[in-house]
Structure formats: C-alpha cells, structure tokens
Amino acid sequence: MAALQRRFVDREPVLAAFAEELTRIGAGPRVFNATGVGGIGKSRLLRELKDRAASQGRTASLDLQVHSLRQQEDALAVLRNELGSQGVHFDRFDIAYAVLWQRLHPHLRLNRLDPGPREGHFPC
C-alpha cells in the first residue's frame, strides 16, 4: 500500500500514449493492460492513469493478480459495481448476471423472497 502513495515519476512515454487514447474516447471502450514482474510500479501506474482518466470519462479496473478476479462472474461483478457507481445503468446485464449466478449456485437463494430450489427441480 505504501508504494501506491509514492511520488509518481519516470513514465512520460506511457502517460503520453494514454493521453492520446483519451482523445479517442468517443470511438468506444478502451482497454489498457499493464504486465510485468512484481515491484516495478504497475499498481501505482494504474492508479495514476485512472485518476487522470476520471475527468475524461468512466473508468473501471481489474487486478488479475487477485485470484478471485480471474473468475468470469467475479470480474464482471467488479466491473459492474465500478461502472454502476459512476452512473452506468445495467438493466440487461443485471438480469443476465442473475441467471448466471443462479446457474452457478443453484443451491443458494437469489434473495430473501426466493424460496430456493425445490427438491428435484434444477434451473436450466
């Protein structure tokens, strides 16, 4: 965590490329992928880029070093929550995610009003 608070330096080429991509933001979603060995400043770079992009549009990030985020349903939920907190509405996604969640967890109730699976009945 302390590394995320350090002064940000020595990334001018990446910042310039990122700023150029921000000028194309109306052309659709953009994905930035940072890879490299541990300890070289990827997390700090991503924090800086996210802060710079916040004034330009909506941003969301996934840290695939977090093992649970490598699972599709968990990664989608994180992206949905990050973008939802920025005013994006996901009506169709929420329905599709509820169906996926029920298929992945047929033994669990979706909410308190859902009686759960009946004996011998399994969602398709």
Side-chain angles (χ1 to χ4, degrees), residues 44-64:
R44 180 64 182 96
L45 172 64
L46 292 175
R47 160 107 20 113
E48 183 70 22
L49 295 176
K50 189 172 184 176
D51 289 348
R52 290 175 183 225
S55 65
Q56 302 281 329
R58 296 178 177 117
T59 63
S61 62
L62 287 175
D63 183 350
L64 297 179

mmCIF file with all atom_site columns, all heavy atoms in Angstrom, residues 44-64:
data_model
loop_
_atom_site.group_PDB
_atom_site.id
_atom_site.type_symbol
_atom_site.label_atom_id
_atom_site.label_alt_id
_atom_site.label_comp_id
_atom_site.label_asym_id
_atom_site.label_entity_id
_atom_site.label_seq_id
_atom_site.pdbx_PDB_ins_code
_atom_site.Cartn_x
_atom_site.Cartn_y
_atom_site.Cartn_z
_atom_site.occupancy
_atom_site.B_iso_or_equiv
_atom_site.pdbx_formal_charge
_atom_site.auth_seq_id
_atom_site.auth_comp_id
_atom_site.auth_asym_id
_atom_site.auth_atom_id
_atom_site.pdbx_PDB_model_num
ATOM 1   N N   . ARG A 1 44 ? 0.881   1.407   -9.108  1.00 0.00 ? 44 ARG A N   1
ATOM 2   C CA  . ARG A 1 44 ? 0.985   2.865   -8.993  1.00 0.00 ? 44 ARG A CA  1
ATOM 3   C C   . ARG A 1 44 ? 0.669   3.535   -10.335 1.00 0.00 ? 44 ARG A C   1
ATOM 4   O O   . ARG A 1 44 ? -0.010  4.551   -10.389 1.00 0.00 ? 44 ARG A O   1
ATOM 5   C CB  . ARG A 1 44 ? 2.390   3.251   -8.509  1.00 0.00 ? 44 ARG A CB  1
ATOM 6   C CG  . ARG A 1 44 ? 2.595   4.739   -8.362  1.00 0.00 ? 44 ARG A CG  1
ATOM 7   C CD  . ARG A 1 44 ? 1.666   5.313   -7.282  1.00 0.00 ? 44 ARG A CD  1
ATOM 8   N NE  . ARG A 1 44 ? 1.821   6.744   -7.176  1.00 0.00 ? 44 ARG A NE  1
ATOM 9   C CZ  . ARG A 1 44 ? 1.049   7.645   -7.789  1.00 0.00 ? 44 ARG A CZ  1
ATOM 10  N NH1 . ARG A 1 44 ? 0.069   7.257   -8.567  1.00 0.00 ? 44 ARG A NH1 1
ATOM 11  N NH2 . ARG A 1 44 ? 1.263   8.925   -7.632  1.00 0.00 ? 44 ARG A NH2 1
ATOM 12  N N   . LEU A 1 45 ? 1.158   2.931   -11.424 1.00 0.00 ? 45 LEU A N   1
ATOM 13  C CA  . LEU A 1 45 ? 0.865   3.452   -12.760 1.00 0.00 ? 45 LEU A CA  1
ATOM 14  C C   . LEU A 1 45 ? -0.634  3.410   -13.027 1.00 0.00 ? 45 LEU A C   1
ATOM 15  O O   . LEU A 1 45 ? -1.217  4.386   -13.498 1.00 0.00 ? 45 LEU A O   1
ATOM 16  C CB  . LEU A 1 45 ? 1.612   2.638   -13.823 1.00 0.00 ? 45 LEU A CB  1
ATOM 17  C CG  . LEU A 1 45 ? 1.254   2.945   -15.277 1.00 0.00 ? 45 LEU A CG  1
ATOM 18  C CD1 . LEU A 1 45 ? 1.629   4.377   -15.631 1.00 0.00 ? 45 LEU A CD1 1
ATOM 19  C CD2 . LEU A 1 45 ? 1.931   1.941   -16.199 1.00 0.00 ? 45 LEU A CD2 1
ATOM 20  N N   . LEU A 1 46 ? -1.271  2.308   -12.723 1.00 0.00 ? 46 LEU A N   1
ATOM 21  C CA  . LEU A 1 46 ? -2.707  2.187   -12.970 1.00 0.00 ? 46 LEU A CA  1
ATOM 22  C C   . LEU A 1 46 ? -3.501  3.187   -12.141 1.00 0.00 ? 46 LEU A C   1
ATOM 23  O O   . LEU A 1 46 ? -4.482  3.753   -12.612 1.00 0.00 ? 46 LEU A O   1
ATOM 24  C CB  . LEU A 1 46 ? -3.177  0.760   -12.702 1.00 0.00 ? 46 LEU A CB  1
ATOM 25  C CG  . LEU A 1 46 ? -2.659  -0.277  -13.696 1.00 0.00 ? 46 LEU A CG  1
ATOM 26  C CD1 . LEU A 1 46 ? -3.083  -1.672  -13.282 1.00 0.00 ? 46 LEU A CD1 1
ATOM 27  C CD2 . LEU A 1 46 ? -3.112  0.035   -15.110 1.00 0.00 ? 46 LEU A CD2 1
ATOM 28  N N   . ARG A 1 47 ? -3.095  3.414   -10.913 1.00 0.00 ? 47 ARG A N   1
ATOM 29  C CA  . ARG A 1 47 ? -3.776  4.410   -10.078 1.00 0.00 ? 47 ARG A CA  1
ATOM 30  C C   . ARG A 1 47 ? -3.650  5.788   -10.708 1.00 0.00 ? 47 ARG A C   1
ATOM 31  O O   . ARG A 1 47 ? -4.614  6.546   -10.785 1.00 0.00 ? 47 ARG A O   1
ATOM 32  C CB  . ARG A 1 47 ? -3.197  4.402   -8.664  1.00 0.00 ? 47 ARG A CB  1
ATOM 33  C CG  . ARG A 1 47 ? -3.477  5.655   -7.877  1.00 0.00 ? 47 ARG A CG  1
ATOM 34  C CD  . ARG A 1 47 ? -4.477  5.664   -6.751  1.00 0.00 ? 47 ARG A CD  1
ATOM 35  N NE  . ARG A 1 47 ? -4.877  4.484   -6.112  1.00 0.00 ? 47 ARG A NE  1
ATOM 36  C CZ  . ARG A 1 47 ? -4.608  4.158   -4.849  1.00 0.00 ? 47 ARG A CZ  1
ATOM 37  N NH1 . ARG A 1 47 ? -3.854  4.933   -4.111  1.00 0.00 ? 47 ARG A NH1 1
ATOM 38  N NH2 . ARG A 1 47 ? -5.109  3.075   -4.327  1.00 0.00 ? 47 ARG A NH2 1
ATOM 39  N N   . GLU A 1 48 ? -2.461  6.134   -11.191 1.00 0.00 ? 48 GLU A N   1
ATOM 40  C CA  . GLU A 1 48 ? -2.241  7.435   -11.824 1.00 0.00 ? 48 GLU A CA  1
ATOM 41  C C   . GLU A 1 48 ? -3.088  7.580   -13.087 1.00 0.00 ? 48 GLU A C   1
ATOM 42  O O   . GLU A 1 48 ? -3.727  8.607   -13.308 1.00 0.00 ? 48 GLU A O   1
ATOM 43  C CB  . GLU A 1 48 ? -0.754  7.603   -12.177 1.00 0.00 ? 48 GLU A CB  1
ATOM 44  C CG  . GLU A 1 48 ? -0.416  8.937   -12.768 1.00 0.00 ? 48 GLU A CG  1
ATOM 45  C CD  . GLU A 1 48 ? -0.498  10.087  -11.781 1.00 0.00 ? 48 GLU A CD  1
ATOM 46  O OE1 . GLU A 1 48 ? -0.416  9.865   -10.549 1.00 0.00 ? 48 GLU A OE1 1
ATOM 47  O OE2 . GLU A 1 48 ? -0.651  11.233  -12.247 1.00 0.00 ? 48 GLU A OE2 1
ATOM 48  N N   . LEU A 1 49 ? -3.116  6.548   -13.911 1.00 0.00 ? 49 LEU A N   1
ATOM 49  C CA  . LEU A 1 49 ? -3.899  6.607   -15.142 1.00 0.00 ? 49 LEU A CA  1
ATOM 50  C C   . LEU A 1 49 ? -5.389  6.707   -14.857 1.00 0.00 ? 49 LEU A C   1
ATOM 51  O O   . LEU A 1 49 ? -6.109  7.463   -15.520 1.00 0.00 ? 49 LEU A O   1
ATOM 52  C CB  . LEU A 1 49 ? -3.598  5.385   -16.015 1.00 0.00 ? 49 LEU A CB  1
ATOM 53  C CG  . LEU A 1 49 ? -2.163  5.282   -16.548 1.00 0.00 ? 49 LEU A CG  1
ATOM 54  C CD1 . LEU A 1 49 ? -1.984  3.982   -17.315 1.00 0.00 ? 49 LEU A CD1 1
ATOM 55  C CD2 . LEU A 1 49 ? -1.783  6.475   -17.382 1.00 0.00 ? 49 LEU A CD2 1
ATOM 56  N N   . LYS A 1 50 ? -5.851  5.975   -13.870 1.00 0.00 ? 50 LYS A N   1
ATOM 57  C CA  . LYS A 1 50 ? -7.270  6.038   -13.510 1.00 0.00 ? 50 LYS A CA  1
ATOM 58  C C   . LYS A 1 50 ? -7.634  7.431   -13.009 1.00 0.00 ? 50 LYS A C   1
ATOM 59  O O   . LYS A 1 50 ? -8.679  7.978   -13.380 1.00 0.00 ? 50 LYS A O   1
ATOM 60  C CB  . LYS A 1 50 ? -7.592  4.976   -12.458 1.00 0.00 ? 50 LYS A CB  1
ATOM 61  C CG  . LYS A 1 50 ? -9.065  4.830   -12.190 1.00 0.00 ? 50 LYS A CG  1
ATOM 62  C CD  . LYS A 1 50 ? -9.346  3.648   -11.289 1.00 0.00 ? 50 LYS A CD  1
ATOM 63  C CE  . LYS A 1 50 ? -10.835 3.474   -11.111 1.00 0.00 ? 50 LYS A CE  1
ATOM 64  N NZ  . LYS A 1 50 ? -11.180 2.305   -10.335 1.00 0.00 ? 50 LYS A NZ  1
ATOM 65  N N   . ASP A 1 51 ? -6.772  8.026   -12.202 1.00 0.00 ? 51 ASP A N   1
ATOM 66  C CA  . ASP A 1 51 ? -7.026  9.386   -11.712 1.00 0.00 ? 51 ASP A CA  1
ATOM 67  C C   . ASP A 1 51 ? -7.074  10.382  -12.867 1.00 0.00 ? 51 ASP A C   1
ATOM 68  O O   . ASP A 1 51 ? -7.932  11.262  -12.906 1.00 0.00 ? 51 ASP A O   1
ATOM 69  C CB  . ASP A 1 51 ? -5.948  9.807   -10.711 1.00 0.00 ? 51 ASP A CB  1
ATOM 70  C CG  . ASP A 1 51 ? -6.041  9.071   -9.383  1.00 0.00 ? 51 ASP A CG  1
ATOM 71  O OD1 . ASP A 1 51 ? -7.080  8.400   -9.139  1.00 0.00 ? 51 ASP A OD1 1
ATOM 72  O OD2 . ASP A 1 51 ? -5.074  9.134   -8.604  1.00 0.00 ? 51 ASP A OD2 1
ATOM 73  N N   . ARG A 1 52 ? -6.178  10.230  -13.830 1.00 0.00 ? 52 ARG A N   1
ATOM 74  C CA  . ARG A 1 52 ? -6.147  11.154  -14.972 1.00 0.00 ? 52 ARG A CA  1
ATOM 75  C C   . ARG A 1 52 ? -7.357  10.953  -15.884 1.00 0.00 ? 52 ARG A C   1
ATOM 76  O O   . ARG A 1 52 ? -7.846  11.907  -16.472 1.00 0.00 ? 52 ARG A O   1
ATOM 77  C CB  . ARG A 1 52 ? -4.856  10.979  -15.758 1.00 0.00 ? 52 ARG A CB  1
ATOM 78  C CG  . ARG A 1 52 ? -3.646  11.483  -15.008 1.00 0.00 ? 52 ARG A CG  1
ATOM 79  C CD  . ARG A 1 52 ? -2.364  11.198  -15.748 1.00 0.00 ? 52 ARG A CD  1
ATOM 80  N NE  . ARG A 1 52 ? -1.231  11.645  -14.950 1.00 0.00 ? 52 ARG A NE  1
ATOM 81  C CZ  . ARG A 1 52 ? -0.211  12.336  -15.431 1.00 0.00 ? 52 ARG A CZ  1
ATOM 82  N NH1 . ARG A 1 52 ? -0.162  12.657  -16.711 1.00 0.00 ? 52 ARG A NH1 1
ATOM 83  N NH2 . ARG A 1 52 ? 0.769   12.686  -14.641 1.00 0.00 ? 52 ARG A NH2 1
ATOM 84  N N   . ALA A 1 53 ? -7.822  9.737   -16.006 1.00 0.00 ? 53 ALA A N   1
ATOM 85  C CA  . ALA A 1 53 ? -8.943  9.444   -16.910 1.00 0.00 ? 53 ALA A CA  1
ATOM 86  C C   . ALA A 1 53 ? -10.290 9.782   -16.299 1.00 0.00 ? 53 ALA A C   1
ATOM 87  O O   . ALA A 1 53 ? -11.268 9.958   -17.021 1.00 0.00 ? 53 ALA A O   1
ATOM 88  C CB  . ALA A 1 53 ? -8.925  7.970   -17.296 1.00 0.00 ? 53 ALA A CB  1
ATOM 89  N N   . ALA A 1 54 ? -10.354 9.904   -14.987 1.00 0.00 ? 54 ALA A N   1
ATOM 90  C CA  . ALA A 1 54 ? -11.638 10.125  -14.314 1.00 0.00 ? 54 ALA A CA  1
ATOM 91  C C   . ALA A 1 54 ? -12.353 11.370  -14.814 1.00 0.00 ? 54 ALA A C   1
ATOM 92  O O   . ALA A 1 54 ? -13.582 11.391  -14.902 1.00 0.00 ? 54 ALA A O   1
ATOM 93  C CB  . ALA A 1 54 ? -11.430 10.194  -12.803 1.00 0.00 ? 54 ALA A CB  1
ATOM 94  N N   . SER A 1 55 ? -11.602 12.396  -15.168 1.00 0.00 ? 55 SER A N   1
ATOM 95  C CA  . SER A 1 55 ? -12.243 13.621  -15.653 1.00 0.00 ? 55 SER A CA  1
ATOM 96  C C   . SER A 1 55 ? -12.672 13.504  -17.117 1.00 0.00 ? 55 SER A C   1
ATOM 97  O O   . SER A 1 55 ? -13.448 14.309  -17.603 1.00 0.00 ? 55 SER A O   1
ATOM 98  C CB  . SER A 1 55 ? -11.298 14.810  -15.487 1.00 0.00 ? 55 SER A CB  1
ATOM 99  O OG  . SER A 1 55 ? -10.167 14.633  -16.328 1.00 0.00 ? 55 SER A OG  1
ATOM 100 N N   . GLN A 1 56 ? -12.184 12.500  -17.811 1.00 0.00 ? 56 GLN A N   1
ATOM 101 C CA  . GLN A 1 56 ? -12.473 12.317  -19.231 1.00 0.00 ? 56 GLN A CA  1
ATOM 102 C C   . GLN A 1 56 ? -13.656 11.389  -19.495 1.00 0.00 ? 56 GLN A C   1
ATOM 103 O O   . GLN A 1 56 ? -14.269 11.448  -20.537 1.00 0.00 ? 56 GLN A O   1
ATOM 104 C CB  . GLN A 1 56 ? -11.245 11.736  -19.940 1.00 0.00 ? 56 GLN A CB  1
ATOM 105 C CG  . GLN A 1 56 ? -10.006 12.569  -19.813 1.00 0.00 ? 56 GLN A CG  1
ATOM 106 C CD  . GLN A 1 56 ? -10.032 13.741  -20.772 1.00 0.00 ? 56 GLN A CD  1
ATOM 107 O OE1 . GLN A 1 56 ? -10.605 13.666  -21.840 1.00 0.00 ? 56 GLN A OE1 1
ATOM 108 N NE2 . GLN A 1 56 ? -9.415  14.834  -20.373 1.00 0.00 ? 56 GLN A NE2 1
ATOM 109 N N   . GLY A 1 57 ? -13.923 10.488  -18.571 1.00 0.00 ? 57 GLY A N   1
ATOM 110 C CA  . GLY A 1 57 ? -14.998 9.521   -18.779 1.00 0.00 ? 57 GLY A CA  1
ATOM 111 C C   . GLY A 1 57 ? -15.027 8.500   -17.666 1.00 0.00 ? 57 GLY A C   1
ATOM 112 O O   . GLY A 1 57 ? -14.377 8.671   -16.631 1.00 0.00 ? 57 GLY A O   1
ATOM 113 N N   . ARG A 1 58 ? -15.753 7.461   -17.874 1.00 0.00 ? 58 ARG A N   1
ATOM 114 C CA  . ARG A 1 58 ? -15.883 6.422   -16.856 1.00 0.00 ? 58 ARG A CA  1
ATOM 115 C C   . ARG A 1 58 ? -14.703 5.465   -16.928 1.00 0.00 ? 58 ARG A C   1
ATOM 116 O O   . ARG A 1 58 ? -14.221 5.152   -18.008 1.00 0.00 ? 58 ARG A O   1
ATOM 117 C CB  . ARG A 1 58 ? -17.188 5.675   -17.077 1.00 0.00 ? 58 ARG A CB  1
ATOM 118 C CG  . ARG A 1 58 ? -18.378 6.582   -16.896 1.00 0.00 ? 58 ARG A CG  1
ATOM 119 C CD  . ARG A 1 58 ? -19.662 5.842   -17.176 1.00 0.00 ? 58 ARG A CD  1
ATOM 120 N NE  . ARG A 1 58 ? -20.788 6.709   -16.930 1.00 0.00 ? 58 ARG A NE  1
ATOM 121 C CZ  . ARG A 1 58 ? -21.641 7.085   -17.860 1.00 0.00 ? 58 ARG A CZ  1
ATOM 122 N NH1 . ARG A 1 58 ? -21.509 6.655   -19.089 1.00 0.00 ? 58 ARG A NH1 1
ATOM 123 N NH2 . ARG A 1 58 ? -22.641 7.878   -17.559 1.00 0.00 ? 58 ARG A NH2 1
ATOM 124 N N   . THR A 1 59 ? -14.288 5.001   -15.762 1.00 0.00 ? 59 THR A N   1
ATOM 125 C CA  . THR A 1 59 ? -13.168 4.068   -15.706 1.00 0.00 ? 59 THR A CA  1
ATOM 126 C C   . THR A 1 59 ? -13.512 2.908   -14.788 1.00 0.00 ? 59 THR A C   1
ATOM 127 O O   . THR A 1 59 ? -14.317 3.037   -13.860 1.00 0.00 ? 59 THR A O   1
ATOM 128 C CB  . THR A 1 59 ? -11.891 4.738   -15.174 1.00 0.00 ? 59 THR A CB  1
ATOM 129 O OG1 . THR A 1 59 ? -12.119 5.166   -13.827 1.00 0.00 ? 59 THR A OG1 1
ATOM 130 C CG2 . THR A 1 59 ? -11.469 5.910   -16.025 1.00 0.00 ? 59 THR A CG2 1
ATOM 131 N N   . ALA A 1 60 ? -12.895 1.778   -15.054 1.00 0.00 ? 60 ALA A N   1
ATOM 132 C CA  . ALA A 1 60 ? -13.000 0.604   -14.188 1.00 0.00 ? 60 ALA A CA  1
ATOM 133 C C   . ALA A 1 60 ? -11.713 -0.178  -14.347 1.00 0.00 ? 60 ALA A C   1
ATOM 134 O O   . ALA A 1 60 ? -11.069 -0.127  -15.397 1.00 0.00 ? 60 ALA A O   1
ATOM 135 C CB  . ALA A 1 60 ? -14.196 -0.255  -14.572 1.00 0.00 ? 60 ALA A CB  1
ATOM 136 N N   . SER A 1 61 ? -11.328 -0.890  -13.324 1.00 0.00 ? 61 SER A N   1
ATOM 137 C CA  . SER A 1 61 ? -10.089 -1.662  -13.415 1.00 0.00 ? 61 SER A CA  1
ATOM 138 C C   . SER A 1 61 ? -10.244 -3.003  -12.714 1.00 0.00 ? 61 SER A C   1
ATOM 139 O O   . SER A 1 61 ? -11.046 -3.151  -11.793 1.00 0.00 ? 61 SER A O   1
ATOM 140 C CB  . SER A 1 61 ? -8.922  -0.879  -12.812 1.00 0.00 ? 61 SER A CB  1
ATOM 141 O OG  . SER A 1 61 ? -9.159  -0.638  -11.435 1.00 0.00 ? 61 SER A OG  1
ATOM 142 N N   . LEU A 1 62 ? -9.465  -3.949  -13.195 1.00 0.00 ? 62 LEU A N   1
ATOM 143 C CA  . LEU A 1 62 ? -9.400  -5.287  -12.600 1.00 0.00 ? 62 LEU A CA  1
ATOM 144 C C   . LEU A 1 62 ? -7.942  -5.603  -12.320 1.00 0.00 ? 62 LEU A C   1
ATOM 145 O O   . LEU A 1 62 ? -7.101  -5.435  -13.203 1.00 0.00 ? 62 LEU A O   1
ATOM 146 C CB  . LEU A 1 62 ? -9.928  -6.349  -13.562 1.00 0.00 ? 62 LEU A CB  1
ATOM 147 C CG  . LEU A 1 62 ? -11.408 -6.408  -13.809 1.00 0.00 ? 62 LEU A CG  1
ATOM 148 C CD1 . LEU A 1 62 ? -11.707 -7.439  -14.895 1.00 0.00 ? 62 LEU A CD1 1
ATOM 149 C CD2 . LEU A 1 62 ? -12.159 -6.745  -12.541 1.00 0.00 ? 62 LEU A CD2 1
ATOM 150 N N   . ASP A 1 63 ? -7.657  -6.076  -11.134 1.00 0.00 ? 63 ASP A N   1
ATOM 151 C CA  . ASP A 1 63 ? -6.318  -6.544  -10.805 1.00 0.00 ? 63 ASP A CA  1
ATOM 152 C C   . ASP A 1 63 ? -6.349  -8.060  -10.870 1.00 0.00 ? 63 ASP A C   1
ATOM 153 O O   . ASP A 1 63 ? -6.846  -8.724  -9.956  1.00 0.00 ? 63 ASP A O   1
ATOM 154 C CB  . ASP A 1 63 ? -5.905  -6.064  -9.418  1.00 0.00 ? 63 ASP A CB  1
ATOM 155 C CG  . ASP A 1 63 ? -4.485  -6.453  -9.054  1.00 0.00 ? 63 ASP A CG  1
ATOM 156 O OD1 . ASP A 1 63 ? -3.870  -7.263  -9.783  1.00 0.00 ? 63 ASP A OD1 1
ATOM 157 O OD2 . ASP A 1 63 ? -3.984  -5.953  -8.026  1.00 0.00 ? 63 ASP A OD2 1
ATOM 158 N N   . LEU A 1 64 ? -5.851  -8.615  -11.966 1.00 0.00 ? 64 LEU A N   1
ATOM 159 C CA  . LEU A 1 64 ? -5.926  -10.061 -12.158 1.00 0.00 ? 64 LEU A CA  1
ATOM 160 C C   . LEU A 1 64 ? -4.924  -10.822 -11.304 1.00 0.00 ? 64 LEU A C   1
ATOM 161 O O   . LEU A 1 64 ? -4.891  -12.047 -11.355 1.00 0.00 ? 64 LEU A O   1
ATOM 162 C CB  . LEU A 1 64 ? -5.767  -10.405 -13.640 1.00 0.00 ? 64 LEU A CB  1
ATOM 163 C CG  . LEU A 1 64 ? -6.888  -9.850  -14.519 1.00 0.00 ? 64 LEU A CG  1
ATOM 164 C CD1 . LEU A 1 64 ? -6.652  -10.199 -15.968 1.00 0.00 ? 64 LEU A CD1 1
ATOM 165 C CD2 . LEU A 1 64 ? -8.247  -10.339 -14.056 1.00 0.00 ? 64 LEU A CD2 1
#
